[in-house]
Amino acid sequence: MAEMSDVFFVDGMRTPFGRAGEKGMYWNTRADDLAVKAIIGLMERNPEVPKDRIDDVAIAATSQTGDQGLTLGRSAAILAGLPMTVPGFAIDRMCAGAMTSVTTMAGSIGFGMYDLAIAGGVEHMGRHPIGSNADPNPRFVAEKMVDPGALNMGVTAERLHDRFPQLTKERADRFGMLSQQKAQAAYDAGKIQPDLVTVAIKNADGAWGLATEDEGRRPETTMEGLASLKTPFRPHGRVTAGTSSPLTDGATMGLLASGDAVKQLGLAPKMRLVSFAFAGVEPEIMGIGPIPSTEKALQKAGLTIDDIGLFELNEAFAVQVISLLDHFGVADDDPRVNQWGGAIALGHPLAASGVRLMIQLAAQFAERPDVRYGLTAMCVGLGQGGSVVWENPHYTGKKKK
């Protein structure tokens, strides 16, 4: 009988994120190749992990079609040079795809069935726009299960502003501006680049180049500029391009291990998984999903929000993040939150984003031995939220000087 095990996030790497569409750097790059590059980078950085010991590869994508289909975990594992004995599968929970890849593999490790697993996600929103080839059941609307606007993420963000008048456009604009500034400051300080794997890219003229950093950043963003942006989801609305994550291409991968594997292979894990939870909410206001999922995850961990020393919250929309902060009594500009900026600046390749949050939290843990617990959380289309609580293995209990 297998014994229950601790689950560790050993390491994570990702491709730089590119703007989706014909002008984006990955327009001529296959989705599965992005996933493959992230796996290769991750395994090259962890040579002490025998490739044949990987028990499974779980890769998420929201639009599982074309070069983003064909049981991604298995096909990418083969293309990345893992032994044919390593199995793999695909997963879909829209924006929380990679997060669900991690929690699913964590369940298998925790139950003692797996020792080592790769979990991640990829989204090529240029080749596979959100909702492409989707055919929502007409009963959703005909039987009034959900409002038609529930299938448009921007409309759901506008509804958060409606429902919670204290979540003003100005607060959202300021949060969006700070995301851009924090992301650029993190780049300038060399915080983000170590976890990026370089990708060879080909432009429209057939010339080759290298993708080395996230393409969509706008550090020059100002409050005045944000105030004048159009509101594409509603006339005179409050959600703009400046307070939304851009359409993005990219892939992320994480390496998970059991306590036994960590000891046997002499690994130095970056985080220990404490608890996780997913929750459902009304699809019309999907952005509040991380509130109940975070409450559940904290309850399972026996912790409160005050125990969380670092937050990595996915910025699908600024209003969605500040709704969670408001609920838990955390200030919009609390220094614990998204220290290096978030998806508004870096991009949100739907199913890949969950592991980006983990990569950034892991890097911050290494700098902060005074912080014991961190949270990664995100909202999910059709009214869901996902949250994972992590423990810092570098924690000493001593305050940072």
Side-chain angles (χ1 to χ4, degrees):
M1 178 71 188
E3 290 184 6
M4 302 290 270
S5 168
D6 274 336
V7 180
F8 293 98
F9 184 91
V10 176
D11 196 10
M13 290 196 80
R14 66 177 180 90
T15 68
F17 289 170
R19 282 196 198 97
E22 291 185 38
K23 294 181 178 167
M25 61 189 183
Y26 294 134
W27 181 244
N28 295 310
T29 305
R30 288 178 60 99
D32 49 10
D33 282 336
L34 291 174
V36 166
K37 287 298 289 187
I39 294 174
I40 291 172
L42 183 63
M43 295 310 290
E44 282 182 351
R45 193 157 83 171
N46 294 275
E48 66 279 26
V49 175
K51 291 180 181 173
D52 60 354
R53 289 278 306 274
I54 302 292
D55 287 302
D56 215 342
V57 179
I59 300 181
T62 303
S63 302
Q64 297 193 11
T65 182
D67 58 334
Q68 209 161 273
L70 201 65
T71 315
L72 262 169
R74 175 60 171 167
S75 55
I78 294 173
L79 290 163
L82 296 180
M84 290 294 177
T85 51
V86 176
F89 66 107
I91 221 160
D92 172 22
R93 200 199 297 264
M94 294 196 185
C95 307
M99 178 176 278
T100 305
S101 298
V102 167
T103 57
T104 302
M105 293 293 89
S108 300
I109 292 170
F111 200 58
M113 296 296 123
Y114 289 2
D115 280 316
L116 291 159
I118 290 172
V122 62
E123 208 75 53
H124 200 306
M125 296 179 78
R127 283 172 179 259
H128 310 291
I130 187 167
S132 59
N133 293 336
D135 179 17
N137 195 303
R139 286 182 52 221
F140 274 134
V141 175
E143 298 180 19
K144 296 189 166 51
M145 293 178 183
V146 301
D147 183 279
L151 300 175
N152 181 316
M153 299 302 113
V155 172
T156 68
E158 285 282 8
R159 286 193 176 138
L160 280 186
H161 281 293
D162 294 344
R163 185 166 291 205
F164 305 105
Q166 75 273 23
L167 306 179
T168 61
K169 180 178 187 295
E170 188 189 1
R171 281 177 68 183
D173 283 354
R174 179 160 275 108
F175 191 90
M177 178 184 72
L178 287 174
S179 180
Q180 297 285 357
Q181 292 175 354
K182 289 191 284 188
Q184 190 57 46
Y187 257 95
D188 292 344
K191 307 282 192 195
I192 306 257
Q193 297 92 321
D195 297 316
L196 301 182
V197 55
T198 300
V199 180
I201 49 173
K202 192 192 267 186
N203 70 16
D205 304 325
W208 287 91
L210 293 175
T212 59
E213 55 181 59
D214 300 309
E215 189 180 26
R217 310 191 315 277
R218 296 188 296 274
E220 69 287 352
T221 299
T222 62
M223 288 295 284
E224 294 73 29
L226 289 172
S228 64
L229 290 177
K230 292 187 182 121
T231 57
F233 305 111
R234 179 193 292 180
H236 314 294
R238 284 147 297 193
V239 179
T240 69
T243 55
S244 312
S245 53
L247 302 178
T248 311
D249 305 331
T252 62
M253 293 294 154
L255 177 64
L256 304 175
S258 66
D260 281 351
V262 165
K263 283 196 192 87
Q264 277 176 19
L265 300 171
L267 306 178
K270 296 183 172 181
M271 304 195 288
R272 183 182 76 85
L273 195 150
V274 179
S275 69
F276 66 86
F278 294 91
V281 296
E282 295 165 62
E284 291 81 2
I285 49 163
M286 64 98 198
I288 63 164
I291 293 173
S293 64
T294 296
E295 288 176 331
K296 276 168 83 172
L298 289 170
Q299 186 182 1
K300 287 175 193 293
L303 300 172
T304 72
I305 201 74
D306 298 332
D307 294 309
I308 302 299
L310 288 166
F311 294 80
E312 276 295 322
L313 308 174
N314 191 44
E315 299 169 359
F317 299 93
V319 67
Q320 174 264 315
V321 181
I322 59 177
S323 73
L324 180 140
L325 298 178
D326 235 40
H327 176 85
F328 286 110
V330 178
D332 295 359
D333 59 354
D334 189 301
R336 296 172 295 170
V337 177
N338 294 8
Q339 289 191 331
W340 300 347
I344 289 171
L346 302 171
H348 175 25
L350 306 179
S353 284
V355 168
R356 178 191 66 78
L357 302 175
M358 295 168 196
I359 290 168
Q360 289 190 197
L361 180 62
Q364 290 164 22
F365 269 171
E367 295 184 352
R368 296 288 303 276
D370 59 310
V371 170
R372 184 166 185 187
Y373 296 109
L375 173 75
T376 54
M378 59 203 311
C379 61
V380 190
L382 279 186
Q384 302 183 77
S387 304
V388 189
V389 176
W390 301 91
E391 185 176 30
N392 185 359
H394 315 288
Y395 176 68
T396 61
K398 292 181 181 144
K399 284 280 176 234
K400 187 182 174 190
K401 287 182 180 160

